[in-house]
Amino acid sequence: MDRIVETKLWNVDKNVEDLESCSQVVDAAHLIREGELVAFPTETVYGLGANAFSDEAVEKIYHAKGRPSDNPLIVHIGDMDQLHEVAREVPEMAYPLIERFWPGPLTLLLPKAEKIATQVTKLDTVGVRMPDHPLALALIRAARVPIAAPSANRSGRPSPTMAEHVRQDLDGRIAAILDGGETGVGVESTVLDLTVSPPMILRPGGITREQLHEVLGDVAIDPAFEAKAEHVPRSPGMKYTHYAPQGELWLVDGSPEQAQKKMEELIREAKANGLSTGVLATDETIGAWRKNGLVDAVLSCGSRQDPSSIAQLLYARLREFDDLGIQYMVGETFPKQGLGMAVMNRLEKAAGGRIISV
Ligand code: AMP
Ligand code: MG
């Protein structure tokens, strides 16, 4: 990176009234208008924001993250007027979705308005959403421009769910970080293409297929993220390695008893090869791992009964294995229903396709 800056870290209480005029938000909005990068919390993960109308500003996002330049960015809006500055056209079917899911973790792909910087997307479409986080909304409204923002991590690493994760990845590369505490949903937004019929999910995320089905009736899924290698994903970002911890993660799919047996076997093998080992367990299985004392690090990513707890904790746990220097990990799989679909998509990517069925 050519430019080393001093990254400001601003703590903001997201619950105070009139956030828009709080001094850190005003300063951060000023930086956005000046063409600088500011990281901010959303309800999904932390985003790395730039003025969506400025090519020069958006260009900096790719440098800071080391993001491939063909991977388009999602534009975040603070009110409905901004929707029409971002999208050239809003199809009728968008409105019931907006009504039900905005603000929230649903990104709609729409025809792109001319004002949108080319660096945001070189395609004819633009992804747009209204985040459900008071600090994100206050920042966008105070900046008075839509904000293009991918996740605020170095490309390839797990997405940040805390300001500290952003600092670890981007300190010295961006102007400021707004720290609003931990994010809630934990996985990114669902990307839904409304320019095709029926609408198609290009990336599973915080709004589930079942929820979209209730509003739309018919909703298709990009076959590429069912890990079918012969399909090229329609969302450019889906083809890259993502969310990966530094060590090697293997997922084991099967009945609880058989999966446990296989995971123990893999761990024994890794230990015999001199590797430090970890298991990404759940509240249901963590006890057994603690008892058998096989692994160097056991972390639970939540309860199998509550996929939202898994979504919320997943990225932080993957980063913890990195902090502990773990070289080899095994993990459980989850049913691809509800939020489980997004969780499994991220896990499969983090594992780089290393899945064993028993
Ligand atoms: P991130 O910014 O890291 O949350 O990633 C955004 C995701 O949305 C990536 O998978 C992008 O490829 C996808 N995306 C954003 N805009 C578009 C678009 N116009 N067409 C297709 N995919 C998009
Ligand atoms: Mg990302």
Side-chain angles (χ1 to χ4, degrees):
M1 173 94 173
D2 24 303
R3 197 177 51 112
I4 298 290
V5 297
E6 193 205 324
T7 301
K8 298 193 176 67
L9 182 59
W10 288 319
N11 244 296
V12 187
D13 177 358
K14 65 175 185 194
N15 299 314
V16 301
E17 257 174 60
D18 199 16
L19 263 178
E20 237 172 283
S21 40
C22 117
S23 72
Q24 293 97 331
V25 174
V26 170
D27 290 352
H30 187 70
L31 286 170
I32 293 282
R33 290 191 70 84
E34 297 264 282
E36 297 299 333
L37 303 185
V38 176
F40 61 96
T42 76
E43 81 282 30
T44 58
V45 301
Y46 272 75
L48 180 60
N51 177 354
F53 294 148
S54 162
D55 265 315
E56 216 178 300
V58 175
E59 174 79 39
K60 291 180 186 169
I61 291 179
Y62 292 88
H63 282 291
K65 281 185 57 101
R67 182 175 173 108
S69 63
D70 71 339
N71 190 2
L73 306 177
I74 291 168
V75 177
H76 295 70
I77 58 172
D79 57 50
M80 285 301 283
D81 288 344
Q82 283 183 333
L83 176 62
H84 302 281
E85 294 184 80
V86 172
R88 194 175 67 236
E89 215 182 289
V90 182
E92 276 308 312
M93 77 174 121
Y95 290 101
L97 292 167
I98 288 171
E99 179 78 15
R100 166 109 184 249
F101 300 116
W102 279 9
L106 177 66
T107 295
L108 301 176
L109 285 196
L110 301 169
K112 175 177 69 171
E114 225 160 80
K115 270 172 90 178
I116 291 295
T118 317
Q119 288 297 332
V120 168
T121 166
K122 291 172 185 136
L123 309 167
D124 294 337
T125 54
V126 62
V128 56
R129 82 176 191 102
M130 190 186 286
D132 188 14
H133 194 291
L135 198 44
L137 291 172
L139 176 67
I140 303 165
R141 287 170 189 162
R144 286 176 281 117
V145 285
I147 294 184
S151 49
N153 50 292
R154 292 297 300 267
S155 252
R157 296 212 68 204
S159 300
T161 54
M162 295 183 223
E164 174 56 19
H165 298 157
V166 181
R167 206 193 53 73
Q168 284 167 1
D169 278 19
L170 297 174
D171 192 29
R173 295 171 165 265
I174 64 176
I177 302 170
L178 283 174
D179 182 351
E182 269 181 67
T183 62
V185 180
V187 292
E188 294 85 343
S189 61
T190 302
V191 176
L192 182 71
D193 189 351
L194 286 187
T195 66
V196 293
S197 183
M200 185 183 275
I201 299 175
L202 305 192
R203 175 177 74 177
I207 297 295
T208 65
R209 170 173 45 172
E210 294 83 348
Q211 285 174 300
L212 292 174
H213 187 77
E214 280 171 26
V215 177
L216 290 172
D218 210 5
V219 51
I221 297 183
D222 186 350
F225 70 71
E226 313 270 14
K228 300 204 175 82
E230 70 269 24
H231 293 97
V232 177
R234 288 164 197 250
S235 159
M238 297 294 283
K239 67 176 182 279
Y240 294 109
T241 310
H242 264 314
Y243 321 117
Q246 276 143 27
E248 199 175 290
L249 171 65
W250 287 82
L251 299 178
V252 180
D253 192 25
S255 71
E257 302 76 37
Q258 279 179 321
Q260 179 75 21
K261 219 170 110 204
K262 183 68 190 174
M263 284 193 264
E264 289 179 11
E265 190 185 310
L266 291 170
I267 291 291
R268 283 199 185 89
E269 241 170 70
K271 283 173 75 128
N273 290 328
L275 300 174
S276 56
T277 56
V279 58
L280 187 58
T282 51
D283 293 352
E284 288 78 4
T285 59
I286 191 167
W289 284 102
R290 289 223 169 105
K291 217 159 129 195
N292 70 29
L294 266 178
V295 276
D296 300 309
V298 192
L299 300 175
S300 169
C301 59
S303 165
R304 297 191 69 84
Q305 306 305 316
D306 177 14
S308 69
S309 69
I310 311 238
Q312 199 197 349
L313 287 170
L314 182 64
Y315 291 139
R317 293 295 181 255
L318 293 174
R319 281 177 179 261
E320 275 174 60
F321 284 121
D322 285 351
D323 296 342
L324 294 166
I326 301 299
Q327 297 163 303
Y328 185 95
M329 286 147 285
V330 294
E332 299 166 31
T333 61
F334 301 92
K336 290 181 179 171
Q337 276 134 32
L339 268 179
M341 189 167 179
V343 165
M344 278 310 294
N345 171 259
R346 306 309 191 270
L347 267 176
E348 282 168 7
K349 295 229 162 216
R354 288 182 288 261
I355 303 172
I356 299 174
S357 295
V358 287

